[in-house]
Amino acid sequence: MTTPQHAVVLGASWAGMLAAHVLARHARSVTIVERDVLPDRPAQRRGLPQARHVHVLWSGGARIVEELLPGAIDRVLAAGARRVAFHEDVVTLMSHGWQHRFPARQYVIMGGRPLLDWAVREQVLASDRIRLRERAEAVSLTGDARRVAGVEVRSVGDGAREVLDADLVVDATGRGSGLRRWLSGLGVPPLEEDVVDAGIAYSTREFVAPPGATSGFPAVNVAADHRVRVPGRFGVVFPQEGGRWMVTLSCTRGGGLPTREEDFLPYARSLRDPLVADLIAPAEPITPVFVSHIGANRRLYPERLDRWPDGLLVLGDSLAAFNPIHGHGMSAAARAAAVLDRRLAADGLGPGGAHAAQREISEAVDDPWIMAASKDLEYVNCRNRSTDPRLNDTSGVTRQFMDLIAAKSMCSRAVSDVVTDVISMSSPQAELGSSDFLALMQRDEAVPELTGPPLSREELAIVNLRPRSAALR
Ligand SMILES: Cc1cc2nc3c(=O)[nH]c(=O)nc-3n(C[C@H](O)[C@H](O)[C@H](O)COP(=O)(O)OP(=O)(O)OC[C@H]3O[C@@H](n4cnc5c(N)ncnc54)[C@H](O)[C@@H]3O)c2cc1C
């Protein structure tokens, strides 16, 4: 087999849908196996608990989605999500101070996760090459250590088991994936795994935004300062479709996450700046508080095995999942789908081809992995169970360099542009080590530091807040 005739994708969420879409461009038929029933409109579902919390899609990922599924992002925007110019439309208190709102270089899509998934799903499932099997749970792989031949699925309804044969199986079942167990059932040696866990937890509530605020007021992000050796506390107010604000308060291990409604506002007040609390204090809450403790960085290394079974790939959160604060999971999955597409278009997946393709997919998630995991190591109480040498450098040099970059990018447009390209997953992280960037860092072209949130009188009027005089834009 070079190009698969029949592929089975496990998991029908973000990564699974994008993978199924690219497979259907090359294979004759694709079956998607999903434990849940997928809603026919943007709605929450059981298998996607994180959809209750803020999800941003960085421009690096959004461009891939636009390329693979023309019109999908436009439909998300038409439904009321916002394309937020970065940093122009974002007020951010970074670890080192307030970020200047430099003219936009990149953007983020801010909208509900159910909306994003729905727009992608509708378009993907329109293909007559793709068949969706809902309420079906993958329980094991069939074949042997040399070649995966299919998957055994169990009906969620009556427990009936069935084997689906396939010449390619793609695992996109997310953080809870049973892949390691399934591989061991085939006699494949254990996959290596790295975990860097800062104990991230999220608490989210939605509010009615003041009239005009979801389009005329910037997104707000108040981050912790990792240099203060206490658990980090964070808060964001992001515009959503339907005139809503989604407010997520989060913390690293020991940060005392608010889990009750009465604790939400006091916690927002305890952040490094009161802006989040000032915005939500008069706003009407429209949901209860939802809590998530899913936030460790976790990565599998299939590429390190001497031999990887033909007929098998893994991508999305099953392969590598990141601290959600960095907002990279969906963009990383989009990158993986784009790699798969290129690979299938170029030379298919002949003998040994799955291992080569998996290696490329794993490379595509390395940038978000190292960005998130190395940043998280800066927080107190972060647990490091990784063998990645970059995450076990005790010299402190990388940390000092990243601090320098953070301090400079707040006030230097040129530095901020390069950093924004990297964090939006539009440029490789290696840019930050290039000689051009090092030269840029040395040039002194920074504007004075801000002393408060950069908001104009017009923006403050929209949310009924009084100016803090020194900080006016
Ligand atoms: C609180 C939080 C906030 C986040 N915020 C952002 C953000 O701002 N930006 C961003 O890019 N990313 C964010 N992420 C990460 C993002 O949610 C994930 O990267 C993304 O959902 C990964 O998609 P996936 O398809 O790999 O896995 P998932 O979305 O987890 O989907 C897995 C799918 O597999 C199904 N499934 C599971 N097991 C089986 C089985 N055995 N058989 C059949 N089906 C199965 C599930 O029902 C589900 O549909 C956030 C994550 C969290 C936890």
Side-chain angles (χ1 to χ4, degrees), residues 393-403:
D393 164 24
T394 49
S395 72
V397 173
T398 311
R399 184 176 309 176
Q400 283 163 17
F401 181 55
M402 295 314 282
D403 271 345

Side-chain angles (χ1 to χ4, degrees), residues 418-434:
V418 179
V419 172
T420 301
D421 286 353
V422 170
I423 59 174
S424 64
M425 289 183 61
S426 307
S427 286
Q429 220 236 0
E431 288 288 316
L432 302 182
S434 70

